[in-house]
Amino acid sequence: METVQEQNEDEEEAEFEATQAHQVPGTVSEKALGSVTEEDTQRAVKMLVRYALFCEHRRQPIRRDDFMKKIVKELPTRAFPAILKRANNILRSTFGFEMAELPVRPPRANSKRPSSVPTDGGREKNSNSFILRNVIPEEERVDDASLGHDAPRLVLITVILSLIYVSGKTIQEEVLLNYFSKMGINRTTGIPKSQVQDHTIVDALQGYVKDGYLDRIKVSTSERDVHEYRWGPRAKIEFPQENVSGFIVDVHGNEDENMNKRMKRDIEHLAGEDPEL
Amino acid sequence: MAERLFLQSLISNPVRKEVEVNALCLGLLERNNLPTEIEQFFGRVNEQLEQVDMKLVRTIDPNTGEYYVVLVNLNGDEVAQLATQFSPAEISFFKLLVEEIVGNDFQISSISALQLCSSTKPSLSKKDAEAVLDRLVADRWIHESEGYYSLCVRTVAELQQYLREQYPDVMEDCSVCHNLVVSRQYSKCGSCSVKIHELCHAKLIHRRVKRCPSCKKEW
């Protein structure tokens, strides 16, 4: 039976530990607001919601540092978690979105390691870079054909991500470009970038790397250096990997349920996702 | 739920024909077993948008007379400026373009438009200017027809305030729909000189109204 004094000490210790943790929701982040006025906080929250929507429109990640230094210059960076939390509340309740932190890009990986294995010795845990994710479950969403002006790029990346997936989650640049030349698209062919602009497949790939849909990694083999493409941080958030095999089966499968199941299993095997290995 | 799905759709494509938007609303309301009251729905959506300085507005395409619904940004703050799709040079180009169009009775030739690229700060190449013009047309800021550019739905929806402030002598409201008259397709009352969009005028005639809505004299 603890004495009152021991109980108090325990409480103090617990509180101390809580303030040391980084991502504890609730009172810790709100305490960090400290001297910031409620009015300033509300204004910052509104700016973050708008900033998030605009960045998403440009397909750019929402960077904490850009936001804190350029837009709410007068507030300390430690106020960010509280602002983020409130902004996410508004984003969820009004738009059905939420800001999700992008996973940190892995350092140059060994060519033998599949990208799903986490690299150890992670330097920073937080990238402080976010994108908007749709929180409305798929079944409830509207079948809305208006993907907007970005439609051609979104369609193309879906195809590329699927190709990478069935190639074991990583694909050599030359192999990928070869698939495209079989479709009649070589390095100089113009493909739609938006409804009014064309660009080449090489430009498209560069754009995807910049946006975080793909990672382009240099891999040194004994003979030479090659580049490989893998799923980037944004792709991992926007396209849950569980859905990819389902998507491919939808495109290529038919009414035969058994065949579809086998196809799904084969696809996952190709991707290196064998459940009982 | 319906409001959120509606907004998601509008965010990806903020300039929509009213008929399309109404159909989308009705579909969402029915799916969620809500009463199919579009006005109330719009009201609820706008209440939520108010907290983030945005609004759903109904406006008219100055070139076709069609009704549009546009999700506009009410606040020209640092956020909007930092995060637009256009570079500072392109925005400078757009402002010059608007100025020229307004100053030339709402229309300029594509050749004159392109030549503006030499006056932008920082400067813009002709090739980039062409690309910007294409994007402006695609995103509904300007309209192109037979080699001439004029203002389009989005400019009217988003920049009403700006236009009224910058060009007070030239900007007038249509006395029927009360949106700005920003194209050459308008008629003027002989007695009191108010302007009406040609298409609004056509609607009046269709309803057999022969008097000016403002001064009540015969048109």
Side-chain angles (χ1 to χ4, degrees):
Chain A
M1 177 82 155
E2 294 173 53
T3 62
V4 172
Q5 191 183 20
E6 279 167 350
Q7 271 177 337
N8 282 345
E9 278 169 10
D10 281 350
E11 270 170 27
E12 273 176 277
E13 229 173 58
E15 220 182 88
F16 181 75
E17 270 170 6
T19 57
Q20 299 306 302
H22 288 289
Q23 305 280 12
V24 174
T27 48
V28 178
S29 57
E30 290 281 328
K31 269 186 189 149
L33 280 175
S35 54
V36 181
T37 65
E38 180 61 24
E39 195 187 320
D40 280 345
T41 308
Q42 283 193 5
R43 198 180 71 90
V45 169
K46 175 166 76 170
M47 306 277 252
L48 182 56
V49 172
R50 283 160 59 81
Y51 187 58
L53 291 169
F54 285 130
C55 282
E56 188 57 26
H57 197 60
R58 290 183 87 182
R59 305 247 129 221
Q60 262 184 356
I62 304 148
R63 285 185 233 274
R64 175 196 71 175
D65 293 333
D66 279 346
F67 178 69
M68 291 309 292
K69 296 189 176 127
K70 295 182 193 165
I71 300 184
V72 284
K73 316 182 250 270
E74 63 281 5
L75 297 182
T77 306
R78 61 182 156 77
F80 185 73
I83 299 173
L84 173 66
K85 189 159 153 280
R86 295 202 205 180
N88 261 343
N89 287 338
I90 297 182
L91 283 167
R92 279 187 210 113
S93 60
T94 306
F95 298 97
F97 287 139
E98 104 187 327
M99 286 172 64
E101 189 160 8
L102 290 170
V104 186
R105 289 192 133 111
R108 227 203 283 169
N110 185 316
S111 61
K112 295 218 179 12
R113 184 186 287 142
S115 60
S116 57
V117 174
T119 52
D120 56 9
R123 307 139 198 187
E124 329 159 43
K125 301 259 188 258
N126 306 325
S127 62
N128 287 313
S129 214
F130 303 80
I131 58 164
L132 280 188
R133 165 172 58 193
N134 199 333
V135 295
I136 297 184
E138 289 231 29
E139 319 80 68
E140 319 237 11
R141 291 188 208 169
V142 181
D143 219 4
D144 196 12
S146 52
L147 282 175
H149 58 91
D150 235 4
R153 288 189 72 224
L154 292 175
V155 170
L156 180 60
I157 191 59
T158 315
V159 171
I160 293 178
L161 291 173
S162 309
L163 270 175
I164 297 178
Y165 189 74
V166 299
S167 304
K169 295 192 182 167
T170 184
I171 195 172
Q172 284 191 21
E173 186 167 46
E174 289 307 315
V175 174
L176 181 63
L177 289 173
N178 206 24
Y179 278 128
F180 280 104
S181 60
K182 287 190 191 145
M183 293 188 229
I185 298 170
N186 61 39
R187 282 168 197 265
T188 52
T189 319
I191 55 175
K193 175 181 178 181
S194 69
Q195 274 144 18
V196 294
Q197 255 184 311
D198 276 359
H199 61 174
T200 65
I201 183 72
V202 177
D203 292 334
L205 289 169
Q206 270 174 3
Y208 291 130
V209 172
K210 182 164 161 287
D211 286 350
Y213 281 109
L214 295 175
D215 279 339
R216 184 172 183 259
I217 300 175
K218 190 158 121 173
V219 167
S220 308
T221 66
S222 48
E223 304 155 349
R224 60 209 166 110
D225 289 343
V226 296
H227 286 108
E228 287 186 3
Y229 284 100
R230 299 188 189 158
W231 281 41
R234 182 185 270 264
K236 291 179 192 158
I237 292 189
E238 286 192 19
F239 297 87
Q241 291 201 27
E242 318 83 70
N243 290 358
V244 177
S245 43
F247 163 67
I248 300 177
V249 168
D250 274 344
V251 172
H252 290 285
N254 58 27
E255 290 92 45
D256 181 347
E257 270 310 313
N258 286 324
M259 196 202 89
N260 288 346
K261 279 197 189 125
R262 271 205 314 273
M263 190 187 279
K264 194 158 195 252
R265 241 191 10 243
D266 288 344
I267 292 170
E268 281 163 12
H269 173 68
L270 285 169
E273 295 268 21
D274 289 305
E276 290 117 36
L277 253 183
Chain B
M1 178 60 76
E3 290 85 352
R4 295 190 292 171
L5 287 169
F6 178 70
L7 280 175
Q8 285 195 359
S9 172
L10 274 237
I11 289 204
S12 61
N13 205 349
V15 181
R16 310 278 274 273
K17 291 192 184 166
E18 188 174 32
V19 288
E20 208 187 289
V21 167
N22 287 349
L24 177 63
C25 282
L26 286 174
L28 286 170
L29 289 168
E30 275 169 12
R31 265 179 28 151
N32 287 283
N33 289 320
L34 292 170
T36 48
E37 294 285 316
I38 294 188
E39 279 314 309
Q40 281 180 14
F41 183 73
F42 266 46
R44 290 199 295 274
V45 168
N46 267 333
E47 255 176 50
Q48 306 217 296
L49 287 175
E50 224 182 325
Q51 10 165 10
V52 287
D53 289 350
M54 293 174 116
K55 194 174 177 179
L56 221 54
V57 300
R58 273 198 185 90
T59 188
I60 206 168
D61 182 333
N63 302 289
T64 63
E66 277 174 293
Y67 279 99
Y68 274 80
V69 172
V70 184
L71 179 60
V72 304
N73 166 31
L74 290 176
N75 195 339
D77 62 3
E78 307 95 338
V79 175
Q81 280 165 20
L82 245 195
T84 64
Q85 295 171 287
F86 297 100
S87 70
E90 292 168 343
I91 295 183
S92 157
F93 180 74
F94 175 60
K95 284 195 172 147
L96 281 174
L97 186 63
V98 168
E99 174 127 359
E100 282 300 305
I101 291 179
V102 170
N104 200 37
D105 201 19
F106 301 115
Q107 194 175 295
I108 55 166
S109 67
S110 45
I111 301 170
S112 316
L114 275 173
Q115 282 170 347
L116 291 171
C117 68
S118 45
S119 327
T120 57
K121 296 179 175 55
S123 62
L124 207 61
S125 75
K126 257 218 173 108
K127 187 161 152 271
D128 287 338
E130 259 177 41
V132 178
L133 285 166
D134 282 341
R135 275 161 65 200
L136 288 169
V137 171
D139 285 348
R140 309 302 204 104
W141 296 95
I142 57 177
H143 175 79
E144 192 272 328
S145 168
E146 293 170 17
Y148 285 91
Y149 288 110
S150 51
L151 300 181
C152 195
V153 195
R154 196 141 179 200
T155 305
V156 175
E158 296 238 21
L159 301 178
Q160 280 234 12
Q161 184 86 340
Y162 171 80
L163 290 171
R164 286 181 211 274
E165 283 169 8
Q166 290 284 109
Y167 312 105
D169 309 321
V170 183
M171 288 295 149
E172 282 182 49
D173 283 350
C174 163
S175 51
V176 172
C177 71
H178 303 294
N179 277 298
L180 284 179
V181 174
V182 289
S183 70
R184 284 189 180 179
Q185 288 97 37
Y186 64 86
S187 359
K188 252 180 146 154
C189 170
S191 321
C192 68
S193 303
V194 293
K195 289 184 180 174
I196 309 189
H197 294 121
E198 252 171 34
L199 290 146
C200 291
H201 192 188
K203 288 177 197 166
L204 281 186
I205 293 179
H206 185 73
R207 280 190 264 147
R208 318 257 162 112
V209 174
K210 293 205 177 119
R211 291 175 182 280
C212 166
S214 176
C215 68
K216 308 295 182 206
K217 301 225 177 86
E218 283 241 356
W219 195 258

